[in-house]
Amino acid sequence: MNINTLKEDCKAIFYELIEKAKLNKGDILVVGCSTSEVCGSKIGTNSNVDVAKELFDGMYAVAKEKGVYLAIQCCEHLNRAIVIEREALPNAERVNVVPQKKAGGSLATTAYGVFSNPIVVENIKADAGIDIGGTLIGMHLKAVAVPLRLSVSTLGDTNILCARTRPKFIGGIRAIYNEELL
């Protein structure tokens, strides 16, 4: 893992993810990330705030440019709660916790410190997501998640998995579906 390239690597991944997921301004992108795994260690064993800052700076720059909200998933010690900007979910029911390196994780802690008005919520239903290092983001995606393959499958020393969501199909064999929503 080369910390000096993480920000640019992350930016490239997020540009591609937002494009392939067909995200629009105001959509929510959930991010689960183990900085331990990015560094080549076992999840939860080597949380790294420097790595988190590089990753966050890359993803946040792209998200702001595209008008997409980042929802940063905390680790299991905070029940995978979400750090998000209040503007994204103005009427959300907040929980009272401040993520820390060993209780929330380095990326969630970084997001909480950088977002202009951060809140923490127990759950969301995001439009797309990226799992960096096996953090299990599925609980925070809308009902029909579709795997999304990017041109790269790793970031640092770990795998990434991406998904977009689509509306549910209803109506049976006579129904006609909007191809733009597939």
Side-chain angles (χ1 to χ4, degrees):
M1 188 256 336
N2 182 353
I3 194 167
N4 298 318
T5 65
L6 281 180
K7 181 177 178 179
E8 293 307 313
D9 293 346
C10 194
K11 284 173 96 172
I13 287 168
F14 274 70
Y15 276 122
E16 184 178 359
L17 171 57
I18 289 169
E19 179 185 334
K20 285 190 172 178
K22 300 177 184 173
L23 295 180
N24 297 305
K25 185 176 181 179
D27 284 348
I28 297 175
L29 172 59
V30 66
V31 179
C33 176
S34 168
T35 58
S36 299
E37 292 277 340
V38 172
C39 294
S41 300
K42 181 181 171 193
I43 194 169
T45 63
N46 189 22
S47 191
N48 188 312
V49 293
D50 294 327
V51 167
K53 181 173 179 357
E54 291 299 311
L55 295 171
F56 186 80
D57 287 350
M59 65 181 71
Y60 194 44
V62 174
K64 286 194 326 186
E65 177 186 325
K66 297 294 186 178
V68 171
Y69 290 106
L70 293 180
I72 308 298
Q73 179 179 275
C74 296
C75 71
E76 73 276 6
H77 295 102
L78 296 186
N79 297 326
R80 293 189 172 82
I82 295 290
V83 178
I84 194 164
E85 295 180 272
R86 179 189 296 271
E87 177 181 305
L89 299 171
N91 299 315
E93 183 177 342
R94 300 171 63 176
V95 293
N96 187 359
V97 69
V98 177
Q100 303 297 308
K101 179 179 171 182
K102 293 289 187 180
S106 290
L107 192 67
T109 301
T110 300
Y112 195 87
V114 173
F115 284 161
S116 61
N117 193 359
I119 61 172
V120 180
V121 298
E122 284 189 283
N123 50 58
I124 60 165
K125 294 296 179 191
D127 301 289
I130 183 169
D131 185 327
I132 305 167
T135 60
L136 304 175
I137 62 164
M139 66 191 279
H140 293 301
L141 292 170
K142 289 180 179 175
V144 183
V146 179
L148 189 60
R149 303 287 182 240
L150 302 184
S151 60
V152 296
S153 60
T154 60
L155 181 58
D157 289 337
T158 195
N159 293 323
I160 61 172
L161 295 172
C162 300
R164 64 177 179 82
T165 61
R166 66 158 175 79
K168 295 177 183 179
F169 293 145
I170 63 167
I173 62 173
R174 289 187 260 177
I176 296 173
Y177 302 109
N178 181 340
E179 294 291 321
E180 291 181 18
L181 297 177
L182 300 179

